[in-house]
Amino acid sequence: MPSRARARSYDPAKTRTAVTAQLRRVREAVEGLDEKGLAAPTRLGDWTVRELIAHLAMAVSSVSRLLERPAPPAREVTATGWATATAAHSAAIDTDTRALAADAAGAAGTAGTDPGGLLEREAARFAETAAVAPGDRLLATRVGAMRLDDYLVTRCVELVVHADDLTAATGVPVPHDRQALATAARVLADALAAKAPGGSVEVRIPPFAVVQCVEGPRHTRGTPPNVVETDPLTWIRLATGRLAWAEALESARLTASGDRADLSAHLPVLG
């Protein structure tokens, strides 16, 4: 949670709509990809575009899978906590993604299931299950028990971040749903405030978020002595390690003023 701040709340209906809208935009972007495009490299290690699409599908299909399992007894993790806990599970996520991509490739050769079809299938499952399940339903996620509403917030993060990865890999722009982009920016800003608690630096991500972080003298009135400001997509790239702090400063996509305004030691917040 943000340091010295109330936990941020999200409108459940808007979050569910945002997941659906962002997934639709991803589906539209992959429809024209041929085998060469699917085999193209990405900036995610040795994942190809095929693996990236499989991971996007898995991000959404996990909601239905978790709803099919018994509910855990008590909440353990919030959306903010999820952001800083996922890196520990990267190996398992990689294994599951590769298995799904291989299955989808095999199905494409026999039954005609293409990546767009895989995403369409998961969108339909999402509409049938997550869209009608109660928001306080607890899910046994990799990082601990979470409310469904919180988990759907994390799905916005996954879809926004990997839509940007898809754009970088294919050159096909994947537009971001405004609500999904806002949600991702806010969660990652709150994760920074939780990782580096304090009130000496104000981080501004207009028009979606403002948080204070980093130990030191707390600002209360007037112009803060340490200010970081950037746009939502640049912030998301910084927070997820897609963009280096120095590179963002050099390109003028990021401004940082004050002795404590260098946040590079606290980034990324999502592995």
Side-chain angles (χ1 to χ4, degrees), residues 52-194:
L52 175 54
I53 294 171
H55 184 71
L56 280 158
M58 190 172 73
V60 179
S61 68
S62 65
V63 181
S64 299
R65 291 199 310 273
L66 291 171
L67 281 169
E68 293 170 354
R69 299 174 184 173
R75 184 187 194 186
E76 299 171 325
V77 184
T78 65
T80 302
W82 166 89
T84 55
T86 54
H89 303 271
S90 59
I93 292 170
D94 178 71
T95 298
D96 291 348
T97 295
R98 292 180 189 278
L100 180 59
D103 288 346
T110 57
T113 303
D114 57 29
L118 176 63
L119 293 172
E120 184 175 0
R121 182 185 70 194
E122 297 309 335
R125 289 182 66 197
F126 181 83
E128 293 173 359
T129 56
V132 298
D136 61 356
R137 166 67 150 84
L138 291 177
L139 306 178
T141 77
R142 293 181 193 272
V143 300
M146 296 180 66
R147 284 172 52 107
L148 172 60
D149 283 349
D150 281 342
Y151 193 65
L152 293 179
V153 167
T154 74
R155 300 308 87 190
C156 283
V157 179
E158 290 275 6
L159 288 168
V160 166
V161 170
H162 292 306
D164 191 46
D165 291 333
L166 190 61
T167 294
T170 65
V172 178
V174 183
H176 286 106
D177 173 75
R178 178 180 171 83
Q179 184 64 37
L181 183 66
T183 299
R186 290 166 181 157
V187 171
L188 295 173
D190 290 348
L192 171 66

Side-chain angles (χ1 to χ4, degrees), residues 1-53:
M1 298 180 188
S3 177
R4 299 188 180 96
R6 295 177 60 189
R8 192 187 303 273
S9 61
Y10 297 87
D11 184 311
K14 289 183 178 179
T15 302
R16 296 179 195 220
T17 300
V19 171
T20 299
Q22 189 60 59
L23 181 59
R24 181 176 64 251
R25 295 183 182 197
V26 170
R27 285 166 48 204
E28 292 170 350
V30 306
E31 284 178 353
L33 293 177
D34 56 16
E35 284 301 314
K36 181 178 179 181
L38 293 172
T42 70
R43 59 191 180 189
L44 302 174
D46 60 354
W47 278 9
T48 65
V49 170
R50 186 183 296 278
E51 272 98 29
L52 175 54
I53 294 171

Side-chain angles (χ1 to χ4, degrees), residues 255-270:
T255 60
S257 60
D259 294 340
R260 298 173 182 268
D262 185 345
L263 300 179
S264 58
H266 308 294
L267 298 172
V269 295
L270 175 67

Side-chain angles (χ1 to χ4, degrees), residues 182-207:
T183 299
R186 290 166 181 157
V187 171
L188 295 173
D190 290 348
L192 171 66
K195 183 178 182 180
S200 68
V201 180
E202 184 166 286
V203 180
R204 301 171 178 172
I205 310 160

